[in-house]
């Protein structure tokens, strides 16, 4: 199959895996002292964060994956930065939710690429 089909399947897998991780991570792992939301986390907001995080991760992965250390570290840090910027949680919560969301999504993206080829 073409590279475009692989990319679309990978992005869909990222969003499907990441959205529940963000929703449950921000809803249940973050306590009230760490998160100062004006309103509770909704599933729609988790979808928006998953799409934005996926786009940022994919963009940085495309442009910086050829650099040995920076290409591996920068996309997950950007993912955590998106969570920190758009949820008003503290850094440890953003790191925890980012790891919970990013690791399965990276594995799903790799798995979608393997299944297509």
């Amino acid at each position: 199959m073409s590279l475009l089909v692989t990319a679309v399947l990978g992005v869909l897998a990222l969003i499907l895996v990441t959205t529940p991780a963000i929703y449950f991570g921000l809803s249940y792992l973050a306590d009230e002292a760490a998160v100062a939301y004006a309103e509770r986390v909704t599933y729609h907001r988790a979808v928006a964060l998953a799409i934005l995080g996926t786009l940022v991760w994919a963009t940085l992965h495309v442009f910086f994956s050829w650099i040995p250390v920076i290409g591996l570290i920068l996309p997950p840090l950007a993912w955590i930065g998106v969570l920190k910027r758009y949820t008003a949680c503290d850094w440890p919560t953003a790191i925890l939710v980012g790891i919970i969301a990013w690791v399965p999504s990276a594995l799903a993206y790799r798995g979608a690429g393997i299944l297509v080829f």
Side-chain angles (χ1 to χ4, degrees), residues 26-51:
L26 290 176
S27 295
Y28 299 110
L29 293 179
D31 58 351
E32 293 300 322
V35 180
Y37 293 114
E39 61 186 45
R40 296 296 301 160
V41 177
T42 63
Y43 205 74
H44 297 292
R45 186 170 183 177
V47 169
L49 284 170
I51 291 170

Side-chain angles (χ1 to χ4, degrees), residues 2-111:
S2 72
L3 186 61
L4 181 63
V5 173
T6 303
V8 169
L9 287 176
V11 167
L12 288 175
L14 282 168
I15 293 169
L16 288 174
V17 170
T18 306
T19 300
I22 291 172
Y23 177 73
F24 290 116
L26 290 176
S27 295
Y28 299 110
L29 293 179
D31 58 351
E32 293 300 322
V35 180
Y37 293 114
E39 61 186 45
R40 296 296 301 160
V41 177
T42 63
Y43 205 74
H44 297 292
R45 186 170 183 177
V47 169
L49 284 170
I51 291 170
L52 182 62
T54 300
L55 291 175
V56 169
W57 177 80
T59 302
L60 290 175
H61 180 72
V62 165
F63 288 115
F64 294 106
S65 64
W66 60 275
I67 302 173
V69 175
I70 295 173
L72 292 173
I73 295 174
L74 195 59
L77 288 178
W79 187 261
I80 292 168
V82 166
L83 289 174
K84 173 69 174 121
R85 168 69 173 95
Y86 291 105
T87 60
C89 60
D90 61 355
W91 281 107
T93 305
I95 291 169
L96 181 63
V97 173
I99 290 171
I100 291 171
W102 182 78
V103 170
S105 67
L107 294 175
Y109 181 74
R110 298 284 183 217

